Amino acid sequence: MGMDFFETAFKIAKNHGFEMTGAYSPEKETFLANKFSERKKKGHIVFLGSENENIMFDPKKYWGKCKSVISLALSYNIIPKCTETNDSGMMSKVSSGIDYHHVIGDKLKAVVRELKDIYPHFDCVFQVDVGPLSDRAAAWHSGLGFYGKNSFVINPDYGSWIFLAQILTDQEYQLESVKIPDGCKECKNCIKACPTGAIKENYDFNGKLCISYLTQKKETLTLSERRAMGKHLYGCDICQEVCPYNKKSKEGKEKSFFSDCSKRYPELKYVLKLDKNSYENYYKKTSSAWRGRRLLQRNAVIVCGNIRNKENLELLHQTVKDPRPEIRLYSLFSLAEYGEDQKPLIERQLGQEDEDFKIKYNDYK
Ligand code: B12
Ligand code: SF4
Ligand code: SF4
């Protein structure tokens, strides 16, 4: 099979829209694994669920038959520039169009199916985002991009607006993969722009400070975490927006990732009033859906407290009576942001809650 196999695989992947393709033979990783340990020692690592630090940089440990990793990337740079209004919250680009897990998952299945028609005996497993491996490590090793200071894998042509996926195969990759050299040089735009200081010097990154993480975090958020969220309803794109590679990046073609501005920067009242059906019509189809409607609305309540305009105050007076305790709790936190004159109302509402609720309120207010 040899190289024909990989050339065929790249061609099929390109036909399915993956603009970037590459491969590498996984050896035992030490460089990234050491960097990982350093980060972990500082307490800067956050995981979302399926990652496994023991095999994260070691595809062979994950899948014993693995001899090569095919890395693929697809641009989602097909989203119009949106301007915020006084009362809008912000969804990040990744969570705007149709959920990439589905779109890319389907494409990966199709690529594998077509490859199997030609090479019936080859075997593989694949991953996009959800899985034990680091997608970025595989993309970097395969020459799809360099690691930026903002921790993204950045492709010189497409920037960082790219989703990463990989197919682990039992086929030998005989070529030497060529890594893309560091492209950040003296630039520090992302370090300067990150509102929470999550991006550190020397390629360090503290996930616990990252707004994207806070918007996905299920545990109760502290006052400083809530304030750090600003207007972000889900995810954060600031360190990508300021990156020079994204200012000149090529556009993506995948229409499923398109979304209009009313959904990307929605009015807070719209988000807070989403009932199950209207949620399912749109946001349920996006990659924010894995955290569900309640978390999105919790975030909208937090953003109300951060914006503090009059219209939202009326909204909060309603959400403070929501049947879901989490929404009531955050409504009280946000009312407190409006100042002293909300105090009587907060006290009155607290009087109707049970002990556990009151303790939580006092611990986190
Ligand atoms: C956990 C996770 C998060 C966490 C932590 C992210 C982080 N930066 O560590 C949180 C919730 C914060 C997050 C946020 C986002 N995420 Co996320 N996330 C993941 C996930 C599931 C695992 C990543 C992980 O923990 N890796 C472990 C880390 C430590 O390893 P690593 O990322 O390879 O980092 C290595 C480098 O930093 C390197 N390194 C360190 N020093 C040095 C020095 C040099 C010189 C070099 C070369 C390398 C190097 O070593 C590290 C290992 O220690 C991946 C999917 C996956 N399965 O890989 C998506 C993934 C990384 N996320 C992605 C996206 C799109 C996002 C968001 C943009 C979503 C949004 N709009 O809000 C933000 C961006 C935030 C940011 N600045 O990274 C994409 C990134 C695509 C890309 N082009 O890079 C991924 C790959 C999903 C995908 N399949 O497309 N995410
Ligand atoms: S996603 Fe936002 S909060 Fe996270 S590192 Fe980038 S700019 Fe900072
Ligand atoms: S903004 Fe500058 S420093 Fe940050 S990732 Fe982009 S090029 Fe690198």
Side-chain angles (χ1 to χ4, degrees):
M1 285 192 215
M3 285 324 291
D4 291 353
F5 172 82
F6 292 93
E7 274 153 29
T8 312
F10 296 160
K11 215 166 115 199
I12 295 174
K14 287 214 158 98
N15 287 343
H16 284 279
F18 291 101
E19 293 98 344
M20 290 142 272
T21 58
Y24 81 104
S25 319
E27 301 306 329
K28 196 163 167 44
E29 172 69 74
T30 50
F31 178 72
L32 295 179
N34 289 339
K35 293 285 179 194
F36 179 88
S37 310
E38 285 169 27
R39 219 182 257 187
K40 199 180 161 202
K41 260 188 229 139
K42 292 184 194 153
H44 289 180
I45 296 289
V46 292
F47 278 162
L48 294 171
S50 64
E51 309 89 338
N52 180 336
E53 62 180 272
N54 299 318
I55 53 178
M56 185 147 232
F57 305 106
D58 199 347
K60 282 185 167 165
K61 235 186 193 169
Y62 170 42
W63 189 57
K65 288 206 252 173
C66 180
K67 291 198 181 126
S68 63
V69 178
I70 296 177
S71 295
L72 305 171
L74 208 150
S75 165
Y76 59 95
N77 188 22
I78 184 176
I79 300 167
K81 207 169 165 48
C82 301
T83 34
E84 28 181 319
T85 65
N86 283 341
D87 194 37
S88 62
M90 301 191 286
M91 303 288 291
S92 63
K93 285 191 180 189
V94 277
S95 51
S96 295
I98 304 282
D99 189 343
Y100 68 99
H101 301 94
H102 302 311
V103 176
I104 293 188
D106 287 349
K107 285 181 187 291
L108 289 172
K109 279 183 212 143
V111 171
V112 168
R113 212 180 305 123
E114 283 177 41
L115 258 177
K116 285 217 161 138
D117 284 345
I118 309 171
Y119 303 100
H121 300 298
F122 108 92
D123 201 0
C124 70
V125 296
F126 54 79
Q127 166 180 318
V128 49
D129 188 45
V130 181
L133 302 172
S134 163
D135 291 342
R136 283 169 167 166
W140 179 65
H141 276 295
S142 311
L144 298 196
F146 61 90
Y147 268 109
K149 289 177 188 161
N150 56 9
S151 89
F152 279 83
V153 164
I154 302 175
N155 177 274
D157 294 327
Y158 286 92
S160 64
W161 306 118
I162 55 176
F163 292 123
L164 308 176
Q166 58 298 166
I167 304 174
L168 279 56
T169 91
D170 61 354
Q171 303 299 301
E172 205 91 49
Y173 187 66
Q174 279 135 355
L175 294 183
E176 190 73 38
S177 317
V178 183
K179 288 199 186 68
I180 296 188
D182 167 51
C184 289
K185 307 271 181 347
E186 300 309 311
C187 177
K188 288 186 181 180
N189 286 7
C190 54
I191 300 181
K192 287 189 219 143
C194 174
T196 60
I199 308 171
K200 314 279 181 197
E201 296 283 345
N202 301 319
Y203 293 83
D204 189 11
F205 176 87
N206 185 353
K208 287 179 188 149
L209 295 178
C210 179
I211 294 169
S212 181
Y213 172 63
L214 299 177
T215 64
Q216 300 178 62
K217 190 175 168 183
K218 284 197 281 187
E219 293 78 14
T220 311
L221 300 174
T222 62
L223 177 64
S224 63
E225 288 178 324
R226 299 192 299 268
R227 285 185 176 166
M229 276 171 52
K231 292 180 82 175
H232 297 275
L233 290 171
Y234 192 89
C236 168
D237 287 337
I238 295 172
C239 57
Q240 296 193 83
E241 266 153 8
V242 299
C243 179
Y245 287 92
N246 286 336
K247 296 202 168 128
K248 52 172 193 194
S249 56
K250 283 190 185 171
E251 275 178 30
K253 290 184 202 68
E254 180 53 56
K255 300 239 173 5
S256 331
F257 298 144
F258 179 86
S259 87
D260 65 53
C261 289
S262 67
K263 295 293 194 299
R264 184 150 172 252
Y265 284 5
E267 298 275 302
L268 293 171
K269 55 177 170 296
Y270 170 79
V271 178
L272 285 173
K273 287 183 178 159
L274 280 173
D275 58 21
K276 275 208 175 101
N277 283 339
S278 37
Y279 178 78
E280 273 166 24
N281 281 339
Y282 189 78
Y283 290 109
K284 184 77 193 280
K285 298 184 181 119
T286 74
S287 65
S288 71
W290 78 297
R291 282 305 197 216
R293 182 170 69 113
R294 192 178 67 209
L295 201 95
L296 187 65
Q297 292 183 324
R298 173 200 79 175
N299 293 348
V301 166
I302 294 171
V303 174
C304 285
N306 290 340
I307 297 181
R308 293 193 297 275
N309 70 17
K310 225 177 138 209
E311 219 179 306
N312 296 336
L313 187 58
E314 285 155 29
L315 274 173
L316 290 175
H317 287 164
Q318 291 165 24
T319 56
V320 88
K321 299 195 175 75
D322 196 279
R324 297 162 296 179
E326 194 181 9
I327 300 295
R328 297 202 298 277
L329 180 70
Y330 282 88
S331 301
L332 292 179
F333 291 147
S334 286
L335 280 174
E337 294 284 28
Y338 276 80
E340 286 294 304
D341 43 337
Q342 294 305 312
K343 248 195 163 154
L345 188 132
I346 294 173
E347 291 302 327
R348 206 165 57 236
Q349 289 299 329
L350 271 178
Q352 295 172 23
E353 300 289 354
D354 64 21
E355 267 322 292
D356 285 352
F357 188 103
K358 283 180 203 150
I359 292 170
K360 208 166 201 181
Y361 179 79
N362 285 316
D363 283 352
Y364 285 91
K365 71 179 181 199

